[in-house]
Amino acid sequence: MVTRTPLRLAITTSGVDKGLLSEDDIVEIDEHGKVVAGSGRPSAEARLHLTVARVRGAGAVLHTHSIWSTILSDTATDGGVTIEGYEMLKGLAGVQTHEHREWLPVVGNTQDWAAAVPRVEAILAERPDAHGFLIRRHGLYTWGQDLADAKRQVEILEFLFEVMGRKRGMPWQP
Ligand SMILES: [Zn+2]
């Protein structure tokens, strides 16, 4: 969750079970990733969350480590993954028709996000239409105006990733 001027993020601490979160597992960080309230080390990817919040003006940023996002992230051909023609695309912010073509950038994984953030920022600026991005063999980032909005986008994208992933394993390909 995000507040602005000054930019502040509430973010989970590193290494906690996201299914067993308590208030103590969430810290508040400033625009540099420094903890300003709560105790604990913020997620290693805090800088990525901050970048998305800043560049996209998001009120909430969500990140998953799902099986299907991991599989799909490995299928990028032109630096990203394209999903088009599905009714469920209409669940993405501003999308009105199944004829929408969604292109999600795939960025390389790293253990040094401080160094990699400028590249992610450049990609987000280049593709203002993308509703999320994948980290290769790692997971999905998406966002929304608020938590409910971001959660809906996670559900939509994860649904579509599973469809795409399962289809690849089928003998027929329309
Ligand atoms: Zn991650």
Side-chain angles (χ1 to χ4, degrees), residues 45 63 65 138:
E45 291 165 42
H63 173 46
H65 287 173
H138 177 151

Side-chain angles (χ1 to χ4, degrees), residues 66-73 158 161-166:
S66 69
I67 291 170
W68 293 112
S69 66
T70 302
I71 290 174
L72 253 286
S73 72
E158 291 289 347
F161 295 159
E162 182 168 352
V163 169
M164 302 283 286
R166 285 183 186 268

Side-chain angles (χ1 to χ4, degrees), residues 2 12 29 38 59 62 65 78 87 92 99 116 122 132 137 151 161 165:
V2 181
T12 52
I29 59 175
L62 292 176
H65 287 173
D78 52 352
E87 179 68 12
L92 299 176
E99 289 173 348
R137 297 186 176 179
K151 181 171 175 283
F161 295 159

Side-chain angles (χ1 to χ4, degrees), residues 43 45 48-49 63-65 109 113 135 138-141:
S43 158
E45 291 165 42
L48 219 39
H49 288 254
H63 173 46
T64 67
H65 287 173
N109 197 17
W113 286 108
I135 305 172
H138 177 151
L140 164 72
Y141 269 82

